[in-house]
């Protein structure tokens, strides 16, 4: 079996991406990255719970605390309030929860690991159509990154980034997760709480709306 690395935050989208990689027949290796986010401890738990659910042994946790030191995002700077209103991507505004160039940093780490372990694919749970307008969640971002990899890597280290959810909305992602029997009950999406999800941050609202439109009950607890 060819190996595939899945960037796994412990959230809904990355969990369904893990299920997609398994469905596609890859030996899945999980990469989790701590960057000083508010819910780092809870996301670590979700990541390990998902890995244990699937029996995945090959996993790597990397700390890049420099993103917290750089700041500029409410996810890593507690002095910046977490927004409670979802900003539609069509407005052209970027919410303060955007961590500057985070995904490029994470993918670079995934590519380095892929070269060492011989992984051919990197799965990223980026979503363009039902996101908050983050520029590093746009399809063109990953298309350009794949172009870069063609010149940045040796021919024998052929690595490709896959974004299986890029054109799905949250309701469709929920449907996909249920279809693939992904452990959605183990995931964590809240931006600010680590015990019970707040239900009011933009991430919780997107998630709750997705489950509602899918006609399903969100299996995690909310305040």
């Amino acid at each position: 079996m060819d190996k595939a690395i899945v960037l796994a935050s412990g959230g809904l989208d990355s969990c369904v991406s893990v299920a997609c990689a398994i469905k596609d027949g890859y030996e899945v290796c999980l990469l989790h990255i701590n960057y000083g986010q508010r819910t780092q401890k809870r996301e670590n738990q979700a990541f390990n719970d998902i890995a244990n659910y699937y029996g995945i042994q090959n996993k790597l946790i990397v700390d890049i605390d420099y993103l917290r030191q750089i700041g500029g995002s409410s996810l890593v700077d507690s002095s910046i309030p977490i927004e409670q209103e979802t900003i539609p991507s069509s407005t052209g505004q970027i919410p303060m929860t955007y961590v500057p160039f985070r995904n490029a940093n994470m993918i670079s780490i995934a590519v380095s690991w892929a070269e060492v372990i011989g992984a051919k694919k990197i799965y990223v749970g980026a979503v363009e159509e039902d996101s908050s307008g983050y520029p590093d969640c746009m399809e063109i971002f990953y298309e350009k990154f794949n172009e870069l990899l063609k010149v940045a890597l040796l021919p024998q280290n052929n690595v490709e980034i896959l974004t299986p959810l890029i054109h799905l909305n949250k309701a469709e992602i929920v449907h996909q997760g249920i279809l693939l029997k992904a452990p959605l009950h183990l995931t964590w999406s809240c931006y600010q709480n680590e015990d019970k999800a707040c239900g009011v941050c933009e991430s919780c609202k997107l998630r709750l709306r997705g489950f509602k439109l899918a006609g399903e009950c969100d299996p995690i607890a909310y305040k």
Side-chain angles (χ1 to χ4, degrees), residues 14-113:
S14 68
C15 179
V16 177
S17 296
V18 174
C20 288
I22 292 172
K23 172 184 67 69
D24 292 342
Y26 289 101
E27 177 189 342
V28 173
C29 309
L30 293 185
L31 173 61
H32 181 73
I33 298 178
N34 295 319
Y35 54 94
Q37 65 271 40
R38 295 185 190 221
T39 56
Q40 180 171 296
K41 182 179 179 180
R42 185 62 183 83
E43 289 181 24
N44 277 331
Q45 178 187 326
F47 167 78
N48 283 309
D49 287 345
I50 293 167
N52 292 336
Y53 177 88
Y54 284 114
I56 297 171
Q57 300 297 320
N58 199 351
K59 56 184 181 178
L60 176 65
I61 299 177
V62 177
D63 293 304
I64 53 171
D65 187 63
Y66 59 81
L67 289 183
R68 181 188 62 80
Q69 297 175 53
I70 291 170
S73 167
S74 58
L75 291 193
V76 297
D77 186 345
S78 59
S79 69
I80 304 174
I82 296 284
E83 290 143 320
Q84 296 187 4
E85 295 299 328
T86 301
I87 300 175
S89 57
S90 59
T91 65
Q93 299 180 58
I94 300 176
M96 288 306 300
T97 49
Y98 168 67
V99 181
F101 218 50
R102 180 193 67 178
N103 288 357
N105 283 265
M106 293 181 170
I107 292 170
S108 296
I109 294 169
V111 172
S112 294
W113 193 29

